[in-house]
Amino acid sequence: MLSPKFLLALTTTLLATTASVTAAEYFNRIASFPVALNNPDAEDGVENSAEIINASEDGMTLVYSNALLGGVGFVDITDATAPKAGGFVALEGGPTSVTFIGGKVLVTVDTTEDFTAPTGYLAIIDQVSKEVELTCELGGQPDAIAKNMDGSLIAISMENQRDEDLNDGAIPQLPSGNITFFDVAEGSVDCATMRVTELAGVADFAADDAEPEYTDFNSLDELVVTLQENNHIVVLNGKTGEVVNDFSAGTVDLEGIDATEDGKLSFTESQPGRKREPDAVQWLDENRIITANEGDYEGGSRGFTIFHKDGTELYESGVSMEYIAAQLGHYPEGRSDAKGVEPEGMEVGTFGDTRFIFVNQERSSLVAVYKDTGDVPEYWQSLPSGVGPEGALAIPSRNLYVTANETDLSPDGAAPAHVMIYELAEGEPAYPTIMSDLDADGKPIGWAALSGAVADAEKPGVLYAVSDSVFTEAAIFEIEATAKPARIVKKTVITRNGNPAQKLDLEGITLDGEGGFWLASEGDTAKLTPHALFHVNADGEIEDEIAFPAALLAGETRSGSEGVAAIGDTLWIAIQREWRDDEKGFVKLVAYNTDTEEWGAVRYPLEAAAEGAWVGLSEITVHGDFAYIVERDNQIAANAQLKAIYRVPVSELVAAPLDGELPVVSKELVRDLVPDLKSFNGYVVDKVESLAIDSTGTGYVITDNDGVDDSSGETFFWSIGAL
């Protein structure tokens, strides 16, 4: 076995090198399908979902389970770049898994009302008529379904899951689970062929309560099953149902992780003896098994493991996937004390001569892609997914990979659930658009939630960005914008009296002309966070703090500073939304003269907001004769209408006293950013928050991912050329 340190170095090196490789094949997202399109009559505020996903044998139709709405949805991907709603079939109960055999869709459905007496059935649906043709009672609660290579046999993991509110979810909680088999003849399931292999007594932990999760067949009709809560793996003969082998999934000593939810990205902690508790499992070939070690109530080792079917451990990914997620701005700090990126779904697919491994990370909303070398997997790339990718599907015949993303945040005005489609083709990876380097200790420069940026006055392509209040340690990040992808090369924590500064919500940054910066912090009186300007030196130490004056604060709201720019001795601050003393449809551009210490403002006219939305400012930066301003609505995905750059003549930025009539500036549309955002082939994100223009006049735009929580984690960084 290679040492964890060597594997980490190998992985991070590959991350740095493959991101700029040309004339190679990579997966890139080509489409995103909002599953709500299959349920147009669903009530507003009702959660939707796409969980487990599969495809027809010709690869033209997708079907996904949707337990939240109690049915399965179909997606027509005849044109994979333009998926279409294919309809929805309602079922009695909650579907847990799906597969295709011929023209039939097989769905496992949970109807349990009492955890001590679980129930469920298998439904067979005709793909064309969408009619349920047959049901087979299962005598328990099903989880995953798998079919063998020739479609003559299916296996269902009967989890008979526990009550997570009973005894803190600890097992044993009877009844135990099993594996249920059915024969399939000419595409038809024969309910009478049902046979059961009991798994009670197999595992080393809580043996009398086996809780099987994922299953997968190899070409020898051997079935591998994970017992997640039991931290165990079982191999069965699919034809006879006999247990061929079983072994503990074991433990991992995790070193150099972030194990504390404290608002900081610090990879300095450890978790010795962490149970893997694998969820998804796949065969790599007739002898090797790979598991996604999501964990449950006692474990989760944050990576994946390759075993020989005799139980020999062949490879352990350790913390490498977490480090990659951190470098991509996707690390879920809010899950640090739990299971980190939480690898859950998994797929293996052979594309041409290359076998790829796909590991879906539920909490980072990434898919880590590896090449199977037969020995140490080769990290290839990471794919951005929707929120909470669970279902994983390779369609090698069409060079496609598909994810089903179960989390639906649309009732709260955030991202809806999506199915996302990726294609393998020659070229460069489109994602990430920005990533960080490693620090001097070999740890990732952790980052997320970039909320404001400014360009270096002299060095073309060098930017400085700040992070917002998602972290307790505010910081300035130095970015090499012309690298592909852009690189965060340095992180400077903002300090006060030598300690990380508290009560900051940084939304804007501009140069002070002396090697330091002026920072704009959005206030929140309820949280004792002041609306203020902060002057910091090159080392991030706060040298001066300028509170907003009483005349301005008299009308304050939560939506304050969203950008700052300098014109001579005057700092101009973009206030995001109307304050209480503003006429509706107008916001202030506030001025502060650092020499005279005088305050003033002008009024900026907002675009009209759609019903149920608001429009505000996100950034201000000055170049030449104009101040460039990012204006956006607060909408996401299909509801997003306004993400744009406008410009105001500098000659009109003549501040009037705050207690008088404020002049209104004129504005001109420079660029509609919605087409740019759509070009990433996901959904349109809501927060375009940074615009920086370098010394050559080249503009760079950055979106704010809000730190992964309630977000896909995707940060988009792109150049809009000369302004």
Side-chain angles (χ1 to χ4, degrees):
M1 292 288 292
L2 297 172
S3 71
K5 288 184 178 179
F6 178 83
L7 292 176
L8 173 60
L10 173 65
T11 302
T12 51
T13 299
L14 286 168
L15 178 63
T17 57
T18 60
S20 58
V21 169
T22 57
E25 289 190 317
Y26 293 92
F27 290 91
N28 281 314
R29 185 167 54 195
I30 58 172
S32 182
F33 175 79
V35 300
L37 293 181
N38 265 331
N39 309 94
D41 298 325
E43 295 181 17
D44 289 341
V46 173
E47 285 187 70
N48 222 318
S49 187
E51 297 161 89
I52 305 304
I53 195 162
N54 220 303
S56 56
E57 292 176 358
D58 63 2
M60 298 296 176
T61 302
L62 302 175
V63 64
Y64 59 85
S65 62
N66 185 337
L68 293 179
L69 292 185
V72 294
F74 291 79
V75 186
D76 178 356
I77 59 166
T78 303
D79 179 355
T81 65
K84 299 177 181 178
F88 187 81
V89 177
L91 297 165
E92 295 294 327
T96 62
S97 189
V98 293
T99 192
F100 267 95
I101 295 182
K104 310 299 179 183
V105 180
L106 282 60
V107 187
T108 51
V109 186
D110 179 13
T111 56
T112 300
E113 295 182 358
D114 180 351
F115 287 105
T116 65
T119 58
Y121 65 93
L122 173 67
I124 293 87
I125 302 171
D126 183 77
Q127 178 185 344
V128 177
S129 70
K130 306 292 193 300
E131 297 292 329
V132 178
E133 296 185 336
L134 178 68
T135 61
C136 303
E137 291 299 321
L138 296 173
Q141 176 262 319
D143 192 352
I145 186 171
K147 66 177 180 180
N148 68 348
M149 298 294 184
D150 63 10
S152 64
L153 179 65
I154 62 171
I156 300 170
S157 58
M158 303 296 296
E159 184 179 10
N160 294 336
Q161 65 187 11
R162 69 194 191 280
D163 182 352
E164 296 189 20
D165 294 326
L166 177 65
N167 194 25
D168 293 328
I171 59 173
Q173 290 185 29
L174 300 181
S176 179
N178 62 65
I179 298 297
T180 295
F181 296 92
F182 290 92
D183 292 333
V184 181
E186 298 180 355
S188 178
V189 176
D190 184 351
C191 297
T193 64
M194 180 174 129
R195 55 191 184 277
V196 175
T197 297
E198 296 293 346
L199 296 178
V202 172
D204 299 329
F205 173 73
D208 55 342
D209 183 16
E211 296 210 6
E213 296 276 348
Y214 271 83
T215 64
D216 191 41
F217 279 104
N218 66 9
S219 61
L220 303 176
D221 283 338
E222 293 175 322
L223 184 77
V224 61
V225 182
T226 54
L227 310 185
Q228 186 174 22
E229 289 81 5
N230 309 91
N231 196 39
H232 214 77
I233 297 170
V234 182
V235 180
L236 301 94
N237 181 315
K239 294 296 188 183
T240 67
E242 176 189 2
V243 174
V244 175
N245 191 34
D246 70 277
F247 52 92
S248 170
T251 63
V252 180
D253 292 330
L254 295 174
E255 301 287 346
I257 63 170
D258 188 342
T260 304
E261 181 188 352
D262 57 3
K264 295 186 291 186
L265 296 176
S266 52
F267 300 93
T268 59
E269 298 171 281
S270 63
Q271 287 180 339
R274 186 75 168 175
K275 287 184 178 180
R276 290 188 170 101
E277 293 185 345
D279 194 2
V281 63
Q282 292 279 293
W283 289 96
L284 281 171
D285 51 35
E286 287 83 358
N287 294 306
R288 293 180 301 141
I289 297 161
I290 183 168
T291 62
N293 304 324
E294 178 196 23
D296 204 286
Y297 67 101
E298 283 195 355
S301 61
R302 309 185 181 214
F304 64 90
T305 310
I306 299 175
F307 296 97
H308 190 279
K309 65 184 178 184
D310 65 9
T312 303
E313 181 183 324
L314 302 176
Y315 172 79
E316 167 57 46
S317 71
V319 302
S320 59
M321 285 204 309
E322 298 239 299
Y323 282 18
I324 292 169
Q327 287 185 270
L328 302 187
H330 278 255
Y331 180 76
E333 205 287 320
R335 300 294 296 177
S336 289
D337 61 340
K339 296 171 283 186
V341 297
E342 224 168 291
E344 183 177 16
M346 174 176 280
E347 175 71 305
V348 172
T350 301
F351 294 73
D353 296 328
T354 303
R355 183 181 291 112
F356 285 102
I357 301 164
F358 305 88
V359 186
N360 289 6
Q361 300 165 17
E362 180 180 7
R363 300 296 179 172
S364 71
S365 294
L366 283 172
V367 180
V369 184
Y370 296 80
K371 284 185 174 181
D372 176 29
T373 67
D375 188 14
V376 175
E378 179 185 357
Y379 174 78
W380 193 239
Q381 65 180 127
S382 287
L383 304 176
S385 192
V387 185
E390 180 169 349
L393 174 67
I395 311 178
S397 64
R398 299 190 63 193
N399 279 340
L400 300 178
Y401 177 69
V402 180
T403 63
N405 302 281
E406 64 177 334
T407 305
D408 181 10
L409 302 174
S410 59
D412 297 321
H418 281 73
V419 168
M420 293 194 172
I421 304 172
Y422 311 82
E423 183 178 40
L424 179 68
E426 187 172 294
E428 296 182 353
Y431 198 84
T433 56
I434 183 171
M435 60 177 289
S436 70
D437 287 345
L438 301 177
D439 64 19
D441 297 322
K443 304 292 176 59
I445 299 175
W447 66 277
L450 301 180
S451 55
V454 67
D456 191 277
E458 299 176 354
K459 303 173 185 174
V462 174
L463 312 182
Y464 306 95
V466 290
S467 57
D468 63 26
S469 61
V470 71
F471 299 123
T472 57
E473 286 188 349
I476 298 171
F477 300 92
E478 183 177 334
I479 302 170
E480 292 183 357
T482 57
K484 298 294 182 182
R487 311 288 291 208
I488 294 174
V489 298
K490 183 180 179 182
K491 175 181 179 180
T492 302
V493 174
I494 306 303
T495 58
R496 182 186 283 115
N497 300 322
N499 298 309
Q502 303 299 305
K503 299 297 181 182
L504 298 181
D505 184 3
L506 301 184
E507 298 286 350
I509 178 173
T510 194
L511 308 176
D512 71 353
E514 300 174 350
F517 304 92
W518 282 98
L519 311 176
S521 181
E522 183 175 27
D524 187 348
T525 300
K527 296 182 180 179
L528 302 180
T529 302
H531 293 278
L533 293 168
F534 295 88
H535 188 202
V536 302
N537 61 25
D539 296 323
E541 179 71 17
I542 295 175
E543 296 185 334
D544 199 6
E545 179 175 342
I546 311 297
F548 279 17
L552 183 59
L553 292 176
E556 73 165 304
T557 69
R558 171 68 182 89
S559 300
S561 305
E562 280 287 325
V564 61
I567 301 177
D569 292 330
T570 299
L571 300 176
W572 285 92
I573 307 152
I575 303 298
Q576 184 179 55
R577 297 176 63 189
E578 299 101 330
W579 281 17
R580 291 192 300 271
D581 57 347
D582 287 319
E583 178 185 350
K584 184 173 176 58
F586 292 86
V587 293
K588 295 184 185 74
L589 300 179
V590 174
Y592 173 71
N593 188 291
T594 59
D595 183 31
T596 66
E597 301 182 353
E598 293 178 316
W599 290 85
V602 298
R603 292 193 297 161
Y604 176 95
L606 294 171
E607 295 298 296
E611 184 176 355
W614 57 256
V615 167
L617 308 186
S618 282
E619 178 70 288
I620 180 170
T621 189
V622 174
H623 180 74
D625 296 331
F626 295 95
Y628 293 84
I629 293 173
V630 175
E631 189 173 344
R632 67 172 180 88
D633 60 21
N634 66 329
Q635 300 298 293
I636 195 168
N639 293 328
Q641 296 183 23
L642 177 64
K643 321 287 179 185
I645 300 171
Y646 293 86
R647 69 182 187 181
V648 172
V650 168
S651 60
E652 295 186 19
L653 293 179
V654 180
L658 293 172
D659 58 359
E661 182 68 22
L662 302 180
V664 178
V665 297
S666 63
K667 70 178 188 180
E668 176 187 3
L669 177 65
V670 174
R671 188 182 184 99
D672 179 2
L673 298 174
V674 172
D676 293 335
L677 294 167
K678 287 183 176 179
S679 71
F680 295 108
N681 294 322
Y683 51 79
V684 175
V685 297
D686 54 338
K687 293 192 174 181
V688 181
E689 294 220 348
S690 297
L691 170 65
I693 305 172
D694 75 2
S695 57
T696 68
T698 301
Y700 298 92
V701 179
I702 318 174
T703 64
D704 181 352
N705 71 1
D706 269 348
V708 185
D709 287 349
D710 296 337
S711 163
S712 69
E714 297 179 32
T715 296
F716 297 119
F717 180 108
W718 74 101
S719 170
I720 56 173
L723 288 172

